[in-house]
């Protein structure tokens, strides 16, 4: 005879009003929800670069062979068309956008909210008022070895010290984890803002930069240590560290919203996002924030800014999970939006990403 087995029901989700009962939580919610209107697409501005990095995403796949359209009026027309279809935020990227300052200016005049991903070797004119993300892949010795650029960090700081647009993005590879502490100290001493990224392998890449479980765990510890060590300079949260260093990539954890992984065109990024190449054309089948990334290995900070923030409904099971999500969104906005100031993190606990049942 089968024994009676009582199945313990899962605890009920709290009401959203209960989650907002804490005044600090409600204030943060009201602060971030004002930016829910942001709708992004990305644009390759140039197919040239002034350095060449091991593991570069741009020089993978077909996009590197696209014709480079340098016509300012064509770019202005594209921005106007993008605005008309509901895009409110642009991400200008590779190969190296600082090589085409006239095009950057044209985009900014038509679409004033956005960011630029650059290697920082050449300064972008101050008249272009986008957030500027300066990629840092280690100390100067590592930059010379991996990026073939001498004294790159010193050059980047010289170009962007005291520039309110600038965020230095330290990309953790398997090899440079220990270097992050010295680099962060240098940047903090010069009052620079920094955030963190995790190297995510391009398709087919199995080189020494690719992470393994031990390096991901070490990266998480390093991120959280530096977050607490330099709270005025590091734009990050504990949940950012957790989300981007889990054994599973962002797609397996949260289900990626970008068209490359998302067949739905009904709502969200599946309907609105495009990734334009230098010839101003786009291909939905490969459209994502960093094309030619190995999707299961994707832990990009850029991808998380959309993928994690879009999963509010998964983060309302407990007050601490909701606080963690708010910290993540607050970090994303501070990194990506000019004039947005990051607040104090609401949750310092390690909260693992909610499991989808």
């Amino acid at each position: 005879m089968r024994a009676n087995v009582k199945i313990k029901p899962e605890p009920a989700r709290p009401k959203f009003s209960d989650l907002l009962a804490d005044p600090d939580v409600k204030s943060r919610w009201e602060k971030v929800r004002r930016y829910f209107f942001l709708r992004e697409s990305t644009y390759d501005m140039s197919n040239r670069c002034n350095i060449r990095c091991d593991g570069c995403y741009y020089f993978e796949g077909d996009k590197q062979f696209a014709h480079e359209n340098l016509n300012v009026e064509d770019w202005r027309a594209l921005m106007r068309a993008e605005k008309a279809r509901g895009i409110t935020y642009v991400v200008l990227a590779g190969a190296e956008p600082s090589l085409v300052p006239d095009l950057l200016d044209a985009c900014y005049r038509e679409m004033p909210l956005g960011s630029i991903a650059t290697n920082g070797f050449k300064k972008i004119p101050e008249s272009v008022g986008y957030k500027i993300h300066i990629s840092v892949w280690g100390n100067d010795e590592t930059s010379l070895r991996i990026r073939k650029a001498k004294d790159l960090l010193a050059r980047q700081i010289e170009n962007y010290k005291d520039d309110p647009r600038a965020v230095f993005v330290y990309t953790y590879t398997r090899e440079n984890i220990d270097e992050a502490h010295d680099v962060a100290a240098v940047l903090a001493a010069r009052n620079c803002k920094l955030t963190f990224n995790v190297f995510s392998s391009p398709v087919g890449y199995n080189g020494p930069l690719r992470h393994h479980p031990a390096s991901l765990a070490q990266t998480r510890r390093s991120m959280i240590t530096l977050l607490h060590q330099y709270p005025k300079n590091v734009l990050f949260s504990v949940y950012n560290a957790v989300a981007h260093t889990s054994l599973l990539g962002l797609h397996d954890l949260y289900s990626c919203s970008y068209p490359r992984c998302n067949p739905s065109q009904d709502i969200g990024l599946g309907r609105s996002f495009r990734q334009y190449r230098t010839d101003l054309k786009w291909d939905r089948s490969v459209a994502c924030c960093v094309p030619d990334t190995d999707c299961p290995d994707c832990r990009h900070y850029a991808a998380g800014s959309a993928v994690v923030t879009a999963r509010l409904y998964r983060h309302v099971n407990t007050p601490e999970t909701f606080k963690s999500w708010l910290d993540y969104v607050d970090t994303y906005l501070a990194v990506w939006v000019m004039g947005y100031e990051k607040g104090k993190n609401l949750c310092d606990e390690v909260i693992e990403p909610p499991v989808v049942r």
Side-chain angles (χ1 to χ4, degrees), residues 167-345:
V167 178
F168 290 75
V169 181
Y170 189 91
T171 294
Y172 281 89
T173 71
R174 196 170 78 205
E175 295 189 326
N176 71 359
I177 301 169
D178 291 337
E179 298 169 31
H181 295 260
D182 290 338
V183 171
V186 169
L187 291 171
R190 288 156 178 79
N191 200 32
C192 298
K193 300 294 186 183
L194 70 150
T195 193
F196 302 129
N197 184 32
V198 177
F199 179 77
S200 306
S201 299
V203 173
Y205 178 85
N206 288 300
L209 306 182
R210 190 182 184 107
H211 281 282
H212 51 50
S215 69
L216 289 171
Q218 187 182 356
T219 295
R220 178 182 296 192
R221 291 192 296 270
S222 175
M223 288 174 165
I224 295 174
T225 297
L226 292 175
L227 166 64
H228 292 143
Q229 189 170 356
Y230 301 108
K232 294 182 180 180
N233 301 90
V234 174
L235 304 175
F236 218 59
S237 75
V238 173
Y239 192 56
N240 283 77
V242 170
H244 291 271
T245 59
S246 295
L247 293 179
L248 296 177
L250 292 172
H251 178 55
D252 288 330
L253 282 176
Y254 300 101
S255 299
C256 182
S257 311
Y258 288 99
R260 181 181 173 198
C261 283
N262 174 19
S264 174
Q265 300 184 46
D266 294 335
I267 59 172
L269 289 175
R271 180 173 62 187
S272 63
F273 180 85
R274 296 179 182 178
Q275 195 276 321
Y276 287 90
R277 300 178 177 184
T278 53
D279 57 5
L280 309 190
K281 298 177 182 177
W282 73 291
D283 180 351
R284 191 182 194 283
S285 67
V286 295
C288 69
C289 65
V290 188
D292 297 297
T293 298
D294 182 2
C295 286
D297 196 50
C298 179
R299 296 175 177 85
H300 284 296
Y301 81 114
S305 68
V307 174
V308 180
T309 59
R311 301 297 180 247
L312 166 62
Y313 69 95
R314 296 190 187 180
H315 292 85
V316 293
N317 292 325
T318 70
E320 293 308 307
T321 303
F322 183 53
K323 289 177 185 178
S324 296
W325 181 84
L326 286 172
D327 287 342
Y328 193 103
V329 179
D330 192 49
T331 299
Y332 142 66
L333 291 170
V335 169
W336 294 86
V337 178
M338 280 294 295
Y340 186 96
E341 295 294 330
K342 179 158 174 33
K344 182 179 179 181
N345 287 319

Side-chain angles (χ1 to χ4, degrees), residues 144-157:
L144 180 59
R145 177 168 52 86
I146 293 179
R147 312 186 77 180
K148 313 301 184 291
K150 186 177 181 180
D151 299 325
L152 181 56
L153 182 62
R155 180 72 171 266
Q156 293 168 327
I157 293 172

Side-chain angles (χ1 to χ4, degrees), residues 81-105:
E82 290 291 273
K83 191 185 305 182
R85 72 179 187 87
I87 297 302
T88 58
Y89 188 98
V90 298
V91 180
L92 311 183
E96 177 47 47
S98 67
L99 300 179
V100 287
D102 290 347
L103 300 186
L104 303 182
D105 185 75

